[in-house]
Amino acid sequence: MSSQALAGALADERRRAVFAAIVLGAGDVPAVVSRTGLSARDAATAVRRLTDVGVLTDDGTGLRVDGQRLRDLARAGGPAPASPPADPREAILHTFLRDGTLTRLPAQRGRRRVLLEHITERSFTPGVRYPERAVDDALRRWCEGGEADHVTLRRYLIDARLLARDHGVYWRP
């Protein structure tokens, strides 16, 4: 974990509220929801993000702040902030994908198109026909733990003409 990752994790108000709730003794997502007033989905997403960057840990007895990792980071001072990706496509992918999972869909059409093309290129072979179930399975993997769902993602792929559909069979044109 770098100081930049820590700052990024705690930059969001919801994640700071979740962090504070856990510092004050909330040991699971329902307790976090109770203390913060966040929705269960928002609380679980924040917990996952904070766990991914190493700020929180779940040792089997409940969620807790990993104090040793925070102390190690403070001693090390952390590396210099990384420069943003030079390629605009990479910057968009870096913003909306975390460890191969779609965090959310961009509102701007151009950014969304970049993301949809990336997902299509990595999920579907041109000319191969896929039953709807296979398409849903491929898209669910992108959506696990994020704010987007596979049905919305599939609709965007069809609307953007990155996937074609006929009688429950899909293909990449």
Side-chain angles (χ1 to χ4, degrees):
M1 173 176 57
S2 69
S3 59
Q4 183 180 12
L6 175 60
L10 294 174
D12 180 77
E13 186 175 326
R14 290 173 292 196
R15 289 192 293 262
R16 281 194 311 274
V18 167
F19 181 81
I22 292 170
V23 166
L24 295 172
D28 57 17
V29 173
V32 169
V33 168
S34 174
R35 288 183 184 217
T36 63
L38 293 171
S39 70
R41 182 178 187 169
D42 284 346
T45 300
V47 165
R48 188 190 78 253
R49 173 78 167 109
L50 293 169
T51 302
D52 288 349
V53 298
V55 174
L56 299 181
T57 186
D58 187 351
D59 59 8
T61 62
L63 294 167
R64 65 176 178 79
V65 173
D66 190 339
Q68 185 59 49
R69 298 260 326 238
L70 291 175
R71 283 189 291 282
D72 291 345
L73 180 62
R75 279 189 209 109
S83 60
D87 178 14
R89 281 182 54 91
E90 289 300 317
I92 291 167
L93 297 176
H94 179 77
T95 300
F96 295 100
L97 293 174
R98 291 283 183 265
D99 300 320
T101 299
L102 180 62
T103 57
R104 66 186 190 280
L105 286 165
Q108 292 179 334
R109 185 175 293 145
R111 288 181 174 190
R112 190 169 51 234
R113 177 72 186 207
V114 168
L115 193 62
L116 294 173
E117 287 173 354
H118 176 82
I119 291 170
T120 302
E121 290 166 2
R122 281 157 183 74
S123 301
F124 306 104
T125 306
V128 174
R129 298 200 176 260
Y130 299 91
E132 187 168 318
R133 178 181 215 110
V135 172
D136 286 348
D137 289 345
L139 298 179
R140 269 191 198 100
R141 287 191 286 275
W142 289 97
C143 298
E144 287 176 353
E147 295 178 17
D149 66 275
H150 71 283
V151 175
T152 303
L153 184 55
R154 185 181 68 210
R155 169 55 40 209
Y156 277 128
L157 292 172
I158 297 294
D159 289 349
R161 297 192 171 145
L162 294 170
L163 282 183
R165 173 181 66 184
D166 185 37
H167 294 36
V169 176
Y170 296 75
W171 64 93
R172 183 175 154 200

